[in-house]
Amino acid sequence: MKNGIARSPMFYVGDKYKLIREIRTHFPQHIGRLIEPFVGGGSVMMNVVAESYLLNDINEYVIGLHRMLQGYIGREEEFVNELYAIIDQYGLSLSYREDVVPKNLKTEFPKTYYSRYNKEAYLRMKADFIEGGQQDMQRLYLLLIYGFNHMLRFNGKGLFNLPVGNVDFNKNVHDALEDYFMLLSQKDTEWHNEDYHIFLNEIDYQPDDLVYLDPPYLITFSEYNKLWNKETERDLLELLDNLNDRGVKFAISNVTHYRGRVNDIFLEWSRRYNVHSIKSNYISFNDNSIKQFSEVLVTNY
């Protein structure tokens, strides 16, 4: 773990890996259950101590990857060997084990040699994943690792369509998997794949629960946010008001200002609670340059 913080082995763009140290300073000292309706790659739950964890995401592939990874706890070496076999089957690079990219390719394309080396192999693996019914979580994990910006992206027909990225299976991937297996072996987790309304409404809340939310952001341009709109934003905030009325503690991350846009809905709603400014950088799928913007954590305690 780098500086005591573990990163999710899914390497989600926009995850809370760089912010969790600051975010968790605003969490209660004792958490009975950490409840996450938008768990994503899991960087928050990995780095927050609680007695147990209720974890949900509407994306079936996200939950499928978590369940697959957790299923290998105690068999970590077997899992890594199986990944290496798939990597070798397609001829992908694996810099953690050996640098196989030719020097002339590195010289000619110093910034994009991994994508050029892996492109054809990645396309074959993607085709096999789709042809196999998109249920092979190991191949999906490798598509995520070798894919552009480490995203799970599907087209209108539901087919995985992320292009190759300029990345490979390196030391960061190996270490993140190692940290995930170690931390999850110590955590009492329960995974759900539901709409967040259903997930949150099914819970019998206890006094020491904390609901942490990192929902899609209304005013940013990530692939993850494309189905979020003003109506869904208002629905979520109304649900949080209801939780507050019931005495349930919550903390929610959101962006209030981004590239000239302002989330007036969230700003107005947040005035009734406690607002903590969070230092943040954001990278979007459409623009991978770093943009300064205003992120906050709002708590009702």
Side-chain angles (χ1 to χ4, degrees):
M1 287 183 284
K2 190 174 182 180
N3 300 319
I5 300 293
R7 182 158 197 186
S8 164
M10 297 185 197
F11 296 94
Y12 261 30
V13 169
D15 73 9
K16 291 296 177 283
Y17 166 67
K18 293 183 178 179
L19 307 179
I20 184 55
R21 185 188 300 278
E22 183 178 358
I23 287 173
R24 70 185 182 185
T25 64
H26 302 292
F27 283 3
Q29 281 195 323
H30 174 262
I31 302 171
R33 287 187 300 184
L34 178 66
I35 300 167
E36 287 198 67
F38 306 96
V39 68
S43 286
V44 173
M45 68 89 178
M46 289 175 66
N47 292 286
V48 171
V49 175
E51 292 178 11
S52 63
Y53 302 78
L54 285 180
L55 307 167
N56 177 75
D57 203 284
I58 195 170
N59 189 319
E60 65 180 299
Y61 293 105
V62 168
I63 298 302
L65 286 169
H66 280 296
R67 286 173 170 159
M68 182 266 293
L69 289 171
Q70 195 164 12
Y72 276 95
I73 289 175
R75 300 185 293 135
E76 295 87 352
E77 186 175 351
E78 177 184 340
F79 175 70
V80 171
N81 287 337
E82 289 174 1
L83 288 187
Y84 287 3
I86 297 171
I87 290 169
D88 291 341
Q89 174 189 343
Y90 292 101
L92 293 157
S93 66
L94 204 174
S95 62
Y96 176 73
R97 184 179 63 189
E98 181 185 3
D99 184 1
V100 297
V101 179
K103 289 184 179 179
N104 65 315
L105 195 63
K106 290 183 177 181
T107 301
E108 188 175 358
F109 304 103
K111 294 183 178 181
T112 60
Y113 56 82
Y114 276 130
S115 63
R116 292 177 180 275
Y117 183 87
N118 288 319
K119 183 177 180 179
E120 294 305 317
Y122 181 87
L123 290 174
R124 290 196 305 273
M125 183 167 64
K126 180 164 68 172
D128 286 347
F129 173 70
I130 294 171
E131 188 176 337
Q134 302 193 146
Q135 297 303 308
D136 186 334
M137 290 296 107
Q138 288 186 335
R139 277 177 173 75
L140 179 60
Y141 179 69
L142 290 175
L143 288 169
L144 180 69
I145 292 304
Y146 287 85
F148 180 70
N149 270 357
H150 303 303
M151 295 189 70
L152 292 175
R153 196 183 74 172
F154 296 80
N155 63 22
K157 296 180 180 179
L159 302 178
F160 186 86
N161 71 339
L162 192 70
V164 68
N166 190 44
V167 287
D168 87 329
F169 197 109
N170 55 27
K171 186 178 187 300
N172 290 336
V173 178
H174 178 274
D175 291 352
L177 282 169
E178 200 170 65
D179 290 342
Y180 184 94
F181 287 133
M182 183 269 292
L183 289 168
L184 268 291
S185 70
Q186 303 168 4
K187 294 180 184 287
D188 176 8
T189 57
E190 184 179 310
W191 301 96
H192 293 258
N193 173 215
E194 300 173 308
D195 179 271
Y196 77 88
H197 292 91
I198 297 171
F199 170 70
L200 290 174
N201 286 329
E202 289 176 339
I203 296 171
D204 179 18
Y205 291 97
Q206 306 299 317
D208 55 359
D209 287 342
L210 174 66
V211 180
Y212 171 71
L213 308 96
D214 184 27
Y217 296 156
L218 182 63
I219 59 172
T220 63
F221 303 109
S222 170
E223 182 79 10
Y224 178 53
N225 304 336
K226 64 183 181 181
L227 298 178
W228 204 253
N229 55 43
K230 291 181 178 180
E231 182 180 353
T232 52
E233 184 88 350
R234 290 191 180 97
D235 284 347
L236 173 61
L237 301 181
E238 182 179 350
L239 187 152
L240 290 179
D241 286 337
N242 290 335
L243 288 181
N244 181 67
D245 292 342
R246 296 164 60 186
V248 179
K249 292 190 289 291
F250 69 73
I252 178 172
S253 293
N254 213 319
V255 171
T256 58
H257 299 78
Y258 178 71
R259 296 182 66 181
R261 295 183 169 201
V262 180
N263 188 341
D264 292 315
I265 296 172
F266 190 83
L267 275 174
E268 181 179 352
W269 171 84
S270 67
R271 292 192 181 103
R272 69 194 75 175
Y273 300 110
N274 301 309
V275 181
H276 312 277
S277 180
I278 303 294
K279 295 177 182 178
S280 177
N281 289 320
Y282 178 76
I283 303 175
S284 77
F285 177 77
N286 298 306
D287 177 6
N288 64 6
S289 61
I290 296 175
K291 304 291 183 182
Q292 294 294 329
F293 72 119
S294 298
E295 179 160 343
V296 297
L297 182 77
V298 176
T299 64
N300 70 333
Y301 51 86

